[in-house]
Amino acid sequence: MSAFRCRLCPRRCHVPRDGPEGACKSGRELRISRAALHHWEEPPISGARGSGAVFFTGCPLGCLYCQNAEISTGQKPGQAVSPQELSRIFFRLVEEGAHNINLVTPTHYIQGIRRALLHKRLPVPVVYNTSGYERAEVLRSLEGLVDVYLPDFKYAQPDLAGALSNAPDYPEAAAAAIREMVRQAGPPEYDSQGLLRRGVLIRHLVLPGHTKNSIAVLERIAREFPGVPVSLMAQYTPWGQAKAPGGIPGYPELSRPITQRELQKVQGVLFDLGLDGFVQSRSAKGAAYIPEFF
């Protein structure tokens, strides 16, 4: 059987998925780099027992500062699994006490993940944890299979998205994808423990030296997605190319963490806009918060 020519993400590489030549550095088979209880998500995701996080190898976006660069760029190839094996991993995590099944960077494996979810229905919510760089048309294939969408909204500025993620179309692609997520999942619904059972939670990572981008992202969320909670993340840690000698050319500020002043500035806008959600502490950063991958 010949490999399909991939159009799953907004890059639409049309690369045959029988080798790692595409933007996501991934082939036909599902590959995972970690499957374990994860306690570092937002409170309504992690809860007391943890989220059943399955980290997928590769990534369509490829941010130059990615803290999971060793798996997103293919340095660590991960483990190949079939959809049936992936389903068994899901149920093993449920048996271990996972509040939900958390699909981390799943975009480029949607077809296999969909088969795994259809193989045997899960008794806990399914969380789709993504960079936000998605095609709304492809997300429609997950309708009825995903309960909670956890997208990033990284950039409101196309130039910045182009420079740091080679994706100047990111702002519009992410906005269209989140509209589809909201259509599918509806308003947030919580259980008696405060865990998110259904809905969308938008994440935004504050980048050092780029508070204007963060403010523009929050303003767009307030304008286009009223009622959707926001997680404002202060965890930025120089990683990937940002950690290398010389850092990212033209962006020396990305070689440092964000400052307290930068966080307060963006946080003030979050509050002024009346957005619900969470603000992460600046202390929740560094290698200690990056899990071990295989």
Side-chain angles (χ1 to χ4, degrees):
M1 181 171 60
S2 61
F4 74 95
R5 292 184 175 271
C6 192
R7 296 177 293 171
L8 291 176
C9 85
R11 297 194 190 280
R12 306 187 200 197
C13 290
H14 289 265
V15 170
R17 286 287 291 275
D18 52 5
E21 292 84 9
C24 63
K25 308 292 191 296
S26 306
R28 178 193 297 273
E29 59 189 0
L30 286 159
R31 301 195 75 87
I32 64 173
S33 293
R34 180 179 171 84
L37 295 180
H38 194 66
H39 297 274
W40 301 334
E41 307 287 29
E42 289 77 6
I45 303 296
S46 290
R49 299 193 304 269
S51 177
V54 180
F55 288 78
F56 292 90
T57 307
C59 178
L61 192 53
C63 304
L64 296 181
Y65 50 85
C66 179
Q67 71 174 22
N68 295 339
E70 62 182 357
I71 65 170
S72 65
T73 61
Q75 297 171 39
K76 286 189 173 182
Q79 171 187 334
V81 294
S82 69
Q84 293 75 24
E85 289 169 331
L86 183 60
S87 176
R88 287 195 287 274
I89 289 169
F90 293 161
F91 277 88
R92 187 254 298 170
L93 292 171
V94 172
E95 290 173 1
E96 292 176 4
H99 291 295
N100 47 60
I101 294 300
N102 185 354
L103 310 171
V104 185
T105 319
T107 313
H108 45 302
Y109 293 125
I110 278 182
Q111 295 165 314
I113 290 170
R114 187 175 184 277
R115 288 195 289 271
L117 293 174
L118 287 170
H119 181 68
K120 188 178 179 182
R121 300 292 279 196
L122 284 159
V124 297
V126 174
V127 179
Y128 190 90
N129 186 338
T130 168
S131 69
Y133 198 52
E134 304 277 352
R135 290 185 61 203
E137 300 90 335
V138 176
L139 289 174
R140 291 188 192 114
S141 69
L142 296 173
E143 186 157 10
L145 298 176
V146 170
D147 303 284
V148 176
Y149 281 100
L150 192 60
D152 290 342
F153 203 146
K154 294 179 181 292
Y155 309 107
Q157 299 172 336
D159 290 349
L160 189 64
L164 301 182
S165 300
N166 191 29
D169 61 334
Y170 178 94
E172 297 312 315
I178 294 171
R179 277 193 290 273
E180 173 60 20
M181 295 172 188
V182 171
R183 184 194 70 79
Q184 285 186 30
E189 298 176 10
Y190 300 88
D191 68 11
S192 60
Q193 302 175 63
L195 294 168
L196 192 57
R197 304 292 299 180
R198 189 167 182 82
V200 179
L201 172 59
I202 302 174
R203 288 171 160 172
H204 175 70
L205 176 66
V206 182
L207 297 176
H210 295 281
T211 56
K212 287 184 179 179
N213 175 67
S214 292
I215 291 168
V217 166
L218 295 179
E219 289 175 341
R220 184 161 189 177
I221 292 172
R223 185 170 63 249
E224 298 188 22
F225 306 110
V228 176
V230 176
S231 175
L232 189 63
M233 300 189 298
Q235 70 184 42
Y236 179 83
T237 300
W239 218 258
Q241 191 172 333
K243 185 184 178 184
I248 300 172
Y251 293 87
E253 68 280 2
L254 294 181
S255 296
R256 63 166 175 83
I258 70 167
T259 66
Q260 181 67 36
R261 183 177 179 180
E262 287 171 327
L263 176 58
Q264 289 177 341
K265 182 178 181 179
V266 179
Q267 179 179 287
V269 173
L270 177 82
F271 296 153
D272 289 345
L273 291 169
L275 292 169
D276 292 329
F278 310 88
V279 178
Q280 184 189 58
S281 168
R282 287 171 62 246
S283 64
K285 63 178 184 293
Y289 289 87
I290 299 174
E292 291 290 329
F293 299 114
F294 51 75

